[in-house]
Amino acid sequence: MARIDAQEHLVQWQRIEKPDFGYAVHVPQSWDERPPNLKNSPWETARFGDPTDRRHTVIVFRARTLPGWTAAEVAEEVQTSLRAAGFDDFRITDAQVSGRTGARLDCAKYDTGRVWAVRHYFVVHDDVRFTLGCGSFIPEEDDPLFAAMAERFEILNPV
C-alpha cells in the first residue's frame, strides 16, 4: 500500500475548472479532455482520459437532485440505470469527495473475459449532485488514482 501511495504522490496534476457547471477537477497532467457524450447521459459535462492508455477514463456528471437527498440516496438511484445498462456487483460505501461526506458506488460489467470496473463518487451541494464516474480495465492499479481525484474534486461557489 505504501508503494501505491508513493506513486500517487508522483502524479503531476492539472486542474481543469468548469465554472459553468460549478466544479473543478484534477486529472493527471498527461490526460486530455474529450467532449461529453450526451448519448451516454444528458448530465455528462466532461470526459478525461490518457490518450496513450485507453484502459481508464473519467466522466463528470452534474444534475439537480431532489431537495434534501444525500449522496447515498443518489447512488441508490443511479444503481438502477447502471443495472439496466448491464452492470452488476453493486456496492455503496461512504467516501470523501471534495472534502465532504459523499458516497462511492462500485459496480462492474463483464464481457468476453474482461471486466470494466466502475466507481462513481457522489457528492451533493445545494440540491445539485456531482458525480465523478471512473471506469477502468485495471481497477486495482487505478483505485488510488481515482480516490485522489475524488478528494481533489472542487465544488465552486456559487453553483
Side-chain angles (χ1 to χ4, degrees):
M1 182 74 168
R3 191 178 124 255
I4 292 172
D5 290 340
Q7 288 174 343
E8 188 272 318
H9 290 295
L10 295 176
V11 171
Q12 296 293 314
W13 296 99
Q14 63 174 314
R15 180 180 182 272
I16 300 169
E17 190 169 304
K18 297 289 188 178
D20 290 348
F21 297 111
Y23 70 84
V25 64
H26 295 250
V27 298
Q29 190 70 40
S30 62
W31 287 27
D32 61 10
E33 183 174 356
R34 301 172 193 141
N37 178 355
L38 300 180
K39 289 181 182 177
N40 177 53
S41 168
W43 313 119
E44 188 174 316
T45 63
R47 338 185 123 228
F48 303 93
D50 184 338
T52 64
D53 187 351
R54 299 288 183 183
R55 295 180 297 170
H56 42 223
T57 189
V58 169
I59 302 172
V60 184
F61 304 88
R62 179 192 185 276
R64 302 290 297 165
T65 193
L66 293 175
W69 270 40
T70 66
E73 289 169 319
V74 171
E76 287 282 343
E77 178 191 32
V78 169
Q79 181 175 305
T80 303
S81 61
L82 288 170
R83 181 171 280 116
F87 286 89
D88 202 356
D89 297 337
F90 293 96
R91 187 178 73 225
I92 297 173
T93 55
D94 292 336
Q96 285 294 306
V97 184
S98 189
R100 302 161 190 251
T101 300
R104 174 177 155 173
L105 170 63
D106 290 74
C107 59
K109 184 183 271 191
Y110 301 90
D111 182 34
T112 61
R114 295 194 318 173
V115 177
W116 180 247
V118 171
R119 287 162 189 78
H120 282 314
Y121 292 91
F122 299 93
V123 64
V124 176
H125 176 72
D126 290 342
D127 299 329
V128 174
R129 71 184 194 198
F130 296 91
T131 309
L132 189 66
C134 308
S136 176
F137 285 117
I138 49 172
E140 293 80 19
E141 284 183 43
D142 285 335
D143 193 42
L145 177 68
F146 293 158
M149 292 172 73
E151 290 171 6
R152 286 174 168 78
F153 188 82
E154 300 172 44
I155 297 173
L156 307 175
N157 288 316
V159 175

